[in-house]
Amino acid sequence: MIAILLGLSIAAAGQKSKVIAVMQMIDAGKYEEAKEAIGEAVENDRTSRWPRTYYAKGLLCQTAYEAGVEKKDAKGTNLYPDQLFVAYDSYEKALELDTRGRLQSAIGKQYYLLANDLIQLGEARYNKEDYPAALHAFTYALRIGESDLIAVRPDTSLIYNTAMAAYESKNYSEAIPYLKELHQGAYDASVSLLLAIAYKETGDTLQSGNTLMEGMETYRYEDTLVMYTVNQLVGAGRLDSATVILKRAIQFRPDHSRYYWALGRVQQTMGRAEEALKSFQKAIELNPGNPELYYETGMCYYNMGIELRQSAQHIPSKEAYQEVRSRYLELLRKSVEWLEKSYELDPGNERTVTRLYQLYNHLQMKEAQKTLEPLVN
């Protein structure tokens, strides 16, 4: 019996020595030999439950990968499929079997490096627009950051990268927790916008709206948040709410011409032409070099004139008709004035040219019409 037990002990020691030899092969850069040896150790009954077997496998995967990156050698980075993830899983298996905690310090040191490797891998995959693969890498890097073996917690840039990879993968349900964490920490206005969109894509319109409101208040009615919110409200036919948002935004940013422009457009849609004109005039005062603002002002006068013209068609009295006609023609002439200013700033705009040409024709402004003929024919 003693002889049998001694034989078993010697055999077990022999198998473990092969695992120790793997460490020497890794140091020597003999990764293929080490892979074969560690594969045998994982399959062997005597070493398949030994923590150092999996620590050695993890170290092999990680070391070969890092050497492959440094030397631009695909053999090192492709020793195993999904090599860095194999390294992580191997380390975790070693920790599971290491009931005495003898490997914790060694694995903790490797985790710092492995997290960095995974971040670099995620960034490379993200740059290649392989967003699901990038998400996979960033998620593992975050998982390492949550380990008790390392003292550094994941920074917000890694959380942001993970959120973006999930968002670009259209995996909105996975993106939301990361975006929410960043949103609550006031990371950036764009994060709040993406979180609102992610909520909307998952059907949670209430949270989407709440996020937009929180974001606007946090970032003092930042442009992209305000304009997205206004567009959503206008699209839903909630013009009064859009007006409230824009007026609130103007309180925070009274020198922002775009808010007056947007307010004018909403007011115009609501049939409040006089209010719209005031908003456009204020926008022009703040940004006199923008041809779009002159165009919008001109179109506001144009729409007022056309509306008055249509109403005049139902007037039975010739005298009353002529009075209304002179009023709508005056509005159209005002439209021309503003559209000409827009044309001066942006002579290549087909929309402006076409509308001016039509108005010149309607108002019998033949000489002016001739100047535009080469541009419309």
Side-chain angles (χ1 to χ4, degrees):
M1 177 65 70
I2 294 175
I4 294 174
L5 291 174
L6 182 60
L8 290 172
S9 177
I10 293 171
Q15 291 298 325
K16 290 182 178 181
S17 66
K18 291 182 179 179
V19 174
I20 295 171
V22 167
M23 307 296 285
Q24 297 170 341
M25 295 176 194
I26 294 172
D27 290 338
K30 298 178 180 179
Y31 303 128
E32 289 290 346
E33 292 180 36
K35 179 182 178 181
E36 182 178 352
I38 204 65
E40 293 175 359
V42 168
E43 295 297 325
N44 187 276
D45 290 339
R46 294 186 175 89
T47 49
S48 63
R49 302 296 299 171
W50 193 36
R52 290 191 178 276
T53 299
Y54 299 94
Y55 170 69
K57 183 175 180 179
L59 190 63
L60 168 62
C61 292
Q62 187 177 353
T63 304
Y65 181 89
E66 290 171 352
V69 169
E70 183 180 353
K71 298 177 181 178
K72 298 181 179 180
D73 181 7
K75 289 183 179 180
T77 55
N78 295 315
L79 190 65
Y80 291 88
D82 296 322
Q83 192 161 315
L84 292 179
F85 307 107
V86 175
Y88 174 79
D89 291 340
S90 298
Y91 288 141
E92 287 294 297
K93 181 67 174 179
L95 291 170
E96 176 189 332
L97 296 174
D98 184 25
T99 55
R100 297 183 181 181
R102 292 176 176 175
L103 292 174
Q104 288 185 359
S105 177
I107 293 177
K109 291 177 181 178
Q110 294 306 129
Y111 268 176
Y112 284 103
L113 299 173
L114 184 59
N116 189 56
D117 292 335
L118 286 163
I119 290 170
Q120 291 180 4
L121 176 63
E123 289 173 349
R125 289 177 172 178
Y126 190 94
N127 291 335
K128 291 181 179 179
E129 299 184 0
D130 188 353
Y131 301 120
L135 174 60
H136 190 50
F138 289 141
T139 301
Y140 266 71
L142 280 175
R143 195 177 298 176
I144 290 174
E146 295 168 357
S147 172
D148 293 333
L149 299 185
I150 63 176
V152 180
R153 299 276 74 85
D155 60 18
T156 52
S157 62
L158 176 55
I159 297 171
Y160 176 79
N161 289 344
T162 310
M164 291 305 300
Y167 184 89
E168 294 292 352
S169 300
K170 301 188 185 304
N171 191 342
Y172 300 113
S173 59
E174 187 160 351
I176 284 173
Y178 301 119
L179 290 171
K180 185 177 180 180
E181 181 176 349
L182 295 167
H183 167 74
Q184 291 174 339
Y187 183 81
D188 188 76
S190 63
V191 165
S192 298
L193 177 58
L194 293 178
L195 178 59
I197 295 172
Y199 275 130
K200 183 185 176 187
E201 291 292 336
T202 58
D204 195 341
T205 55
L206 178 61
Q207 282 288 8
S208 179
N210 290 341
T211 299
L212 289 170
M213 294 303 299
E214 291 169 359
M216 285 188 289
E217 289 292 332
T218 299
Y219 299 105
R220 297 181 60 82
Y221 285 78
E222 186 270 344
D223 186 275
T224 55
L225 283 169
V226 171
M227 297 310 297
Y228 177 84
T229 304
V230 168
N231 286 333
Q232 292 299 302
L233 292 171
V234 170
R238 298 173 58 191
L239 301 180
D240 286 328
S241 297
T243 300
V244 170
I245 293 295
L246 286 167
K247 288 183 176 180
R248 177 72 169 157
I250 287 170
Q251 290 178 346
F252 276 86
R253 301 184 181 226
D255 296 332
H256 197 34
S257 66
R258 195 177 186 201
Y259 292 164
Y260 290 98
W261 165 79
L263 179 60
R265 295 203 65 177
V266 174
Q267 290 167 332
Q268 193 172 11
T269 303
M270 298 172 75
R272 300 175 182 174
E274 295 294 338
E275 294 179 33
L277 283 173
K278 291 179 181 178
S279 296
F280 291 142
Q281 289 295 321
K282 183 63 178 178
I284 290 171
E285 178 185 323
L286 293 169
N287 188 9
N290 188 341
E292 177 70 16
L293 299 176
Y294 295 94
Y295 176 83
E296 291 289 354
T297 305
M299 288 305 300
C300 194
Y301 278 114
Y302 174 82
N303 291 331
M304 291 168 67
I306 293 300
E307 184 178 346
L308 194 57
R309 177 189 176 190
Q310 290 173 343
S311 67
Q313 295 175 358
H314 305 289
I315 299 175
S317 168
K318 184 176 181 180
E319 184 177 340
Y321 171 80
Q322 288 299 329
E323 181 182 347
V324 174
R325 182 175 184 274
S326 65
R327 284 164 51 200
Y328 83 67
L329 288 175
E330 180 60 26
L331 288 169
L332 294 183
R333 281 190 283 270
K334 282 185 175 292
S335 176
V336 167
E337 291 177 18
W338 289 100
L339 289 173
E340 284 178 338
K341 292 177 181 179
S342 179
Y343 174 70
E344 289 173 8
L345 291 169
D346 185 15
N349 191 299
E350 294 182 9
R351 181 181 57 172
T352 306
V353 170
T354 300
R355 184 63 68 192
L356 263 178
Y357 186 82
Q358 293 170 346
L359 282 167
Y360 286 153
N361 181 61
H362 185 77
L363 295 170
Q364 298 296 302
M365 300 171 67
K366 297 300 183 182
E367 292 302 316
Q369 186 180 3
K370 285 180 181 179
T371 63
L372 295 183
E373 283 180 355
L375 301 176
V376 296
N377 295 332

